[in-house]
Amino acid sequence: MDFAFIREYSPLYIEAAKLTMRIAVIGILGAIILGFLCSMIRYYRVPVLQRIIGAYIELSRNTPLLIQLFFLYFGLVKIGIRFSSETCAVIGMIFLGGSYMSEAFRSGIEAVAKIQTEAGLSIGLTKWQVLRYIVLPQAIAISMPAFSANIIFLIKETSVFSAVALADLMYVAKDLIGLYYKTDEALLMLVIAYLIILLPISIVFSLIERKLRYAGMGN
Amino acid sequence: MQEWGISVLFQGRNLIRLLTGLWVTIRISLISVAVSIVLGILLGMLMTWKNPITKGLSRIYLEFIRIMPQLVLLFIVYFGVTKAFRISISGELAAIIVFVMWGMAEMGDLVRGALQSIPKHQYESGRAIGLTQSQIYRYIIIPQTIRRLLPLAINLITRMIKTTSLIVLIGVVEVVKVGQQIIEANRLTVPTAAIWIYGVIFFLYFIVCYPISMLSIKLEKIWKG
């Protein structure tokens, strides 16, 4: 193990990790917003739109991110739509993440018993108030495990962005292996980088889940 | 006159080649899922033991595998392990090794969850009506576990197929690679081939994964009631 090499090249990894995290944060926030909108459209059963959303969710959940990215990055260029790698990565992440987040919200909303909505309506709350004060607080608590699993899943998925020429962690590692043949060092730093990013997030989420488990009705 | 991009698909054996590539992807996924299910069941049972050593080790294994992106694991096996042990393995074998390691961890956790979700009184009632230990497992525990497990295991197949798309990045010739070859070969005659080929690959994945996800959802609904 060549530690001088590790010291010399760790700044590259830090830069790459920053880039990965920036795209992950933007992408996940976008995915949460899109997912929330989609789940609301399905909750209110908006005609036509809910069909389109349904098709989108099935398409996005049943295809790999890599293919979505290839289509965006190498395919759309041919009809004149050109994205930078970063834009492409963010769009891909939102397209993929939106459907997963929407399903997480929906499972939470569906788990809140119908009788509660009816009770809310019968004491004179508006449909919006029922959603805001009764359904959503419980739904979010219920969907939290799925929600946090999705966030970790999406951060892991950022690793494929190197395939559309984004200089992320995978890209740096591959570069170092190709340039210097320092396979062990490059891979070790790669693993450590991902552990540093993902381990704290995973631990924080499991703590939050433990707290929220008691937030449901009747506990 | 410029040709329509889609026509590339019907030239020569292009469509057959794409489908053959898709089969490579599916074959790797199916082999990996089959092996992971067997090993995952063993791992899941191991995880329910009270022994702190097996519990700790399996926990660490599970957390590490699940936290690492699959592409990182592929790189570790394909570039790292091969160099460390001075062996050469094909991309396909590396992929199967990685997907088995990953699938086993996922499956193990599902099995553990399913086993632990069966209430203790099921075992106790079985004993109270005079069943032997093996009868309790045969008639009470295993049927319930399978009902909880099967939809999730089927879901794992679609996740596996989707994740298998990554193997193009370690040089396995599968559907994406074949697609790239077709695009390159027609670069001058049909410049818009890329959008059609990637579009077709996108829908091929959808056509394969969608029925499997539907089956999983359907089974879950039937057995819930």
Side-chain angles (χ1 to χ4, degrees):
Chain A
M1 201 56 73
D2 185 351
F3 286 103
F5 181 85
I6 291 181
R7 242 196 319 274
E8 195 183 337
Y9 286 99
S10 52
L12 280 183
Y13 278 84
I14 294 171
E15 280 309 306
K18 277 186 198 157
L19 181 66
T20 303
M21 281 319 288
R22 199 171 67 228
I23 288 173
V25 169
I26 300 172
I28 289 169
L29 284 179
I32 292 172
I33 295 169
L34 179 63
F36 186 71
L37 284 177
C38 290
S39 65
M40 282 302 107
I41 286 170
R42 294 182 108 188
Y43 176 72
Y44 284 117
R45 301 185 189 286
V46 181
V48 188
L49 223 50
Q50 73 161 341
R51 286 289 170 83
I52 297 172
I53 299 288
Y56 152 67
I57 287 174
E58 294 305 339
L59 266 182
S60 137
R61 283 178 67 92
N62 287 304
T63 48
L65 179 61
L66 188 66
I67 311 296
Q68 298 168 4
L69 288 175
F70 276 168
F71 184 76
L72 283 172
Y73 193 70
F74 299 116
L76 289 184
V77 162
K78 302 294 176 196
I79 54 166
I81 305 173
R82 195 179 294 272
F83 297 114
S84 70
S85 322
E86 268 183 62
T87 323
C88 178
V90 170
I91 295 176
M93 180 126 279
I94 295 176
F95 181 81
L96 179 79
S99 64
Y100 280 83
M101 290 301 179
S102 162
E103 289 294 284
F105 280 124
R106 195 175 66 120
S107 69
I109 290 173
E110 275 178 1
V112 178
K114 207 168 175 212
I115 193 170
Q116 294 198 31
T117 312
E118 289 163 355
L121 289 173
S122 73
I123 59 166
L125 296 180
T126 62
K127 214 173 171 197
W128 162 249
Q129 284 171 324
V130 170
L131 185 69
R132 165 74 185 75
Y133 296 104
I134 300 175
V135 177
L136 275 188
Q138 298 181 64
I140 288 172
I142 295 167
S143 53
M144 199 59 203
F147 198 72
S148 55
N150 283 346
I151 288 179
I152 291 173
F153 163 73
L154 288 174
I155 297 177
K156 282 168 61 179
E157 288 288 298
T158 60
S159 63
V160 309
F161 291 155
S162 60
V164 290
L166 189 79
D168 72 341
L169 288 166
M170 292 306 296
Y171 190 89
V172 170
K174 213 172 156 183
D175 230 24
L176 291 184
I177 294 174
L179 282 175
Y180 306 108
Y181 197 49
K182 296 274 187 195
T183 313
D184 305 337
E185 290 83 355
L187 289 176
L188 180 72
M189 284 195 278
L190 180 66
V191 168
I192 291 173
Y194 272 112
L195 280 181
I196 291 175
I197 293 175
L198 284 164
L199 205 56
I201 297 176
S202 155
I203 292 170
V204 167
F205 277 137
S206 56
L207 290 177
I208 294 177
E209 268 166 43
R210 213 167 293 168
K211 273 245 156 32
L212 280 179
R213 199 165 297 163
Y214 296 97
M217 230 355 217
N219 278 316
Chain B
M1 194 190 108
Q2 198 172 9
E3 274 187 85
W4 272 89
I6 189 78
S7 63
V8 167
L9 209 59
F10 304 107
Q11 279 167 17
R13 299 181 56 249
N14 281 354
L15 189 61
I16 308 285
R17 282 178 63 204
L18 265 187
L19 292 177
T20 319
L22 186 68
W23 172 243
V24 173
T25 309
I26 295 174
R27 191 182 61 212
I28 292 178
S29 322
L30 290 182
I31 295 174
S32 311
V33 168
V35 182
S36 344
I37 285 179
V38 176
L39 292 178
I41 289 174
L42 293 176
L43 180 70
M45 282 154 72
L46 196 79
M47 287 176 78
T48 57
W49 284 6
K50 297 277 183 274
N51 186 333
I53 296 171
T54 56
K55 221 175 189 166
L57 284 178
S58 52
R59 191 88 218 149
I60 290 171
Y61 173 76
L62 192 80
E63 291 298 329
F64 180 78
I65 295 281
R66 292 178 92 182
I67 229 170
M68 275 300 126
Q70 285 88 30
L71 191 55
V72 174
L73 296 175
L74 278 174
F75 268 46
I76 292 175
V77 171
Y78 190 63
F79 295 119
V81 172
T82 44
K83 191 190 171 203
F85 294 103
R86 302 192 176 285
I87 48 169
S88 165
I89 55 176
S90 69
E92 224 179 300
L93 183 62
I96 292 177
I97 294 172
V98 167
F99 291 133
V100 165
M101 275 162 53
W102 172 62
M104 178 175 114
E106 292 285 345
M107 194 65 203
D109 201 41
L110 296 178
V111 172
R112 182 194 57 85
L115 281 176
Q116 284 175 349
S117 75
I118 291 179
K120 215 173 159 197
H121 65 72
Q122 296 274 343
Y123 294 86
E124 284 161 359
S125 336
R127 219 165 301 142
I129 57 168
L131 298 179
T132 64
Q133 195 69 19
S134 63
Q135 282 172 324
I136 292 176
Y137 274 95
R138 165 81 183 73
Y139 295 107
I140 301 175
I141 307 304
I142 291 175
Q144 294 188 66
T145 318
I146 287 177
R147 286 186 165 205
R148 273 166 219 207
L149 212 53
L150 205 59
L152 300 170
I154 291 172
N155 209 21
L156 187 65
I157 300 177
T158 63
R159 287 169 64 198
M160 195 71 92
I161 291 175
K162 282 185 288 173
T163 316
T164 314
S165 65
L166 297 180
I167 61 180
V168 66
L169 302 176
I170 59 165
V172 179
V173 180
E174 41 73 86
V175 62
V176 181
K177 192 81 209 167
V178 173
Q180 286 171 347
Q181 288 167 354
I182 296 174
I183 292 167
E184 289 303 324
N186 295 286
R187 172 132 295 182
L188 295 174
T189 51
V190 192
T192 53
I195 190 165
W196 295 102
I197 297 290
Y198 285 127
V200 166
I201 295 175
F202 182 84
F203 280 101
L204 283 179
Y205 268 102
F206 178 73
I207 291 166
V208 172
C209 291
Y210 184 64
I212 307 177
S213 332
M214 285 295 106
L215 178 66
S216 156
I217 291 170
K218 203 164 183 187
L219 284 181
E220 205 164 357
K221 271 200 187 124
I222 293 172
W223 282 338
K224 225 177 201 171

